[in-house]
Amino acid sequence: MTGVAHPALGCVGQPRLLAGLDVAERLDRAGHLAVHGPLPSYDPDALVELAEAIDLRGRGGAGFPFARKLRAVMRSARGRDGRTAVVVNGSEGEPSCLKDTAMLLHAPHLVLDGALLAAAALGAEDVVVGVTREDVEGSLRAAVAERGPAGSRVRVVRLPERFVTGEGTALVRGLEGGPALPSGQKVRTSERGLGGLPTLLSNTETYAQLAVAARLGAPGYRMAGLPTEPGTILLTVGGSTVVEVPAGTSLAYVLDLCGAGPGQGVLVGGYHGRWLGPAAARSVLLSRQSLASADAVLGAGAVLPLPEDTCPAGEIARVTRWMAEESAGQCGPCVRGLPSLAGVVEDLVGGGGRAALEAVEARMRSVRRRGACSHPDGTASFVASALAVFPEELRDHALGSGCGRRVLGALPLPADDNPERLVVDWTLCKGHGLCVDLLPDIVRLDADGYPAEAVMPVPGRLRPKALRAVRRCPALALRIQE
């Protein structure tokens, strides 16, 4: 990712995590204390009790109970001279998710409060925040400096911006100066994490929620949300707007608030998430129980409605290709399985027939439960969910009829910093139109049947098709330019 996306902010009801940001763009230390007040201290048992009383769960995707993580770190620390570490996962390699970025840019002290609160309870000397964006790093370093001596125990480390950077073992390896790639080993960071120490690792929003709960207490925290799922949730809607809502809010209401509707369907949970059809999107609530009844998960809180005027099959193909390119490249399912899956999805979209549909199913089976991390499973689930929600759309594309719509890029992907370009030589072009048949996502024709632009950027995923268009142009009027 290029790291230039800055989210708009909104809320349903009274904000907690985003409190004060209606009048200030960023809460410095003084502004933070004016809005939230001082942070109380908790001993280890009291902090575990608080996390249990509010059923605090990780907000990075897995939804693991935070109290169980705390207990596991405490248990492991007994055999390690009591030494522990605290890690904040502030990396967002998911291009559809900006909620942690919003917190770290606009309310960094709330995140630091939660991390330092946990560190004090655990007796951890090392508090490390892993980030991937330059602006986020700058905001955090400023917040650490604003705390004076109290911030000296916090380190901020910049890591490569990749989808897999946020995986637990990848994050720890990166923070220790190694490659930010999954280790491939089933190691719990609560047993052996940063520096080999028992490590409490959770994402940005989780620590911010802990800091809010510490101030409100369990009864106050439970006044928002559902009895079974108290508190608020941060969502990224459409890849651009971060909204804080009470748990149990209607998904349809949130979409309407953001000026969107269910469209052709809604992807919930990001690119390792699940698709909801329009009817399900209109009825589901933003709670674990309601989403589970629709075979969906909240994941990292990304909500992506698919507009009516884009091609679902093409959108799914481009995300699948990007996911294949974002793999760690360390195991067979990632090195060969995911590129093969992306290839057969592209064949399906291009009219590969029933054989392409069968090939997609086969490729999904070949990567499931065989990877060194969850990335192959998550990618296969994304495709499987699309097949379930858009069966007729994908079948029509496979059989050659398609939908006739262009791919608008409604599912956000990182911008290509230095894309190659498809260049038209006007002295040779005869307006055959073969280029638009091969590259409908790049080339559009003017009223006279000629390419409307002379120079068109070519995303990396479409380079093979662009080369094919160059080779097949009857007038030899196309070339690829670096």
Side-chain angles (χ1 to χ4, degrees):
M1 291 175 69
T2 57
V4 297
H6 291 271
L9 304 180
C11 66
V12 173
Q14 189 71 24
R16 290 179 171 181
L17 302 179
L18 303 183
L21 296 176
D22 55 335
V23 295
E25 182 178 355
R26 178 185 180 276
L27 294 179
D28 61 12
R29 180 65 172 158
H32 166 74
L33 290 173
V35 170
H36 295 285
L39 181 70
S41 60
Y42 281 73
D43 63 41
D45 291 337
L47 193 63
V48 170
E49 289 174 6
L50 174 67
E52 285 183 330
I54 63 172
D55 192 22
L56 180 61
R57 295 178 180 244
R59 305 300 177 93
F64 194 82
F66 190 77
R68 286 176 59 187
K69 281 190 177 183
L70 280 169
R71 277 208 179 94
V73 173
M74 294 174 187
R75 187 166 53 249
S76 298
R78 294 190 190 108
R80 303 288 184 88
D81 299 325
R83 297 177 62 208
T84 60
V86 170
V87 169
V88 182
N89 186 352
S91 68
E92 277 182 316
E94 167 75 76
S96 64
C97 196
L98 289 170
K99 65 187 181 71
D100 289 350
T101 293
M103 289 302 304
L104 294 172
L105 285 177
H106 301 293
H109 286 284
L110 203 57
V111 180
L112 293 178
D113 276 354
L116 289 168
L117 179 68
L122 293 170
E125 298 178 2
D126 213 3
V127 178
V128 187
V129 187
V131 300
T132 56
R133 289 176 47 144
E134 182 179 3
D135 53 354
V136 168
E137 179 186 18
S139 175
L140 265 173
R141 291 193 183 282
V144 170
E146 288 163 6
R147 288 178 172 249
S152 61
R153 47 194 310 207
V154 180
R155 288 193 294 123
V156 181
V157 179
R158 178 96 173 270
L159 301 170
E161 192 157 9
R162 299 186 61 189
F163 189 86
V164 297
T165 295
E167 192 271 343
T169 60
L171 186 71
V172 169
R173 292 176 78 188
L175 294 176
E176 293 177 334
L181 297 171
S183 67
Q185 300 175 353
K186 305 299 182 183
V187 178
R188 291 186 178 92
T189 54
S190 60
E191 296 175 359
R192 188 172 74 254
L194 195 67
L197 297 176
T199 299
L200 180 67
L201 189 157
S202 202
N203 88 312
T204 296
E205 184 192 346
T206 312
Y207 286 110
Q209 293 281 4
L210 182 66
V212 167
R215 289 174 165 92
L216 295 177
Y221 187 89
R222 298 183 68 91
M223 290 181 68
L226 299 170
T228 54
E229 297 179 39
T232 63
I233 300 167
L234 280 184
L235 306 171
T236 310
V237 181
S240 60
T241 303
V242 172
V243 185
E244 184 179 6
V245 306
T249 303
S250 161
L251 173 59
Y253 179 75
V254 174
L255 291 173
D256 184 63
L257 178 71
C258 296
Q264 300 178 74
V266 181
L267 180 64
V268 179
Y271 296 154
H272 279 182
R274 304 287 190 277
W275 284 98
L276 296 174
R282 292 187 186 97
S283 63
V284 78
L285 303 180
L286 292 163
S287 72
R288 291 191 301 273
Q289 183 177 358
S290 182
L291 287 169
S293 70
D295 193 29
V297 292
L298 187 62
V303 174
L304 294 163
L306 196 66
E308 298 284 359
D309 53 351
T310 193
C311 170
E315 296 278 0
I316 291 157
R318 62 191 283 274
V319 170
T320 306
R321 173 58 65 184
W322 181 79
M323 296 282 275
E325 293 171 353
E326 283 293 299
S327 80
Q330 297 184 130
C331 66
C334 272
V335 173
R336 298 186 179 182
L338 292 186
S340 295
L341 175 59
V344 294
V345 170
E346 289 165 349
D347 288 344
L348 181 155
V349 174
R354 295 191 183 279
L357 282 167
E358 295 171 359
V360 170
E361 295 285 355
R363 293 296 186 275
M364 287 193 296
R365 288 194 299 271
S366 72
V367 301
R368 279 183 170 144
R369 293 183 294 277
R370 295 182 178 179
C373 69
S374 63
H375 187 54
D377 285 351
T379 305
S381 294
F382 167 80
V383 176
S385 177
L387 287 169
V389 173
F390 305 107
E392 294 180 1
E393 181 80 31
L394 292 168
R395 183 200 61 205
D396 289 348
H397 274 273
L399 298 180
S401 57
C403 63
R405 287 169 289 192
R406 291 170 61 85
V407 179
L408 302 180
L411 301 181
L413 291 179
D416 193 341
D417 291 334
N418 296 293
E420 294 180 309
R421 291 163 176 80
L422 183 69
V423 179
V424 180
D425 186 338
W426 293 120
T427 65
L428 297 175
C429 182
K430 304 299 182 184
H432 292 97
L434 181 61
C435 53
V436 76
D437 292 336
L438 290 171
L439 293 166
D441 299 328
I442 294 177
V443 183
R444 60 184 181 86
L445 302 182
D446 60 20
D448 297 319
Y450 288 84
E453 300 174 53
V455 180
M456 295 153 280
V458 178
R461 64 187 174 82
L462 292 178
R463 189 174 191 275
K465 289 187 177 181
L467 290 172
R468 196 179 311 154
V470 170
R471 291 194 297 266
R472 293 187 180 180
C473 177
L476 303 178
L478 297 175
R479 62 186 174 87
I480 297 289
Q481 181 183 71
E482 294 288 339

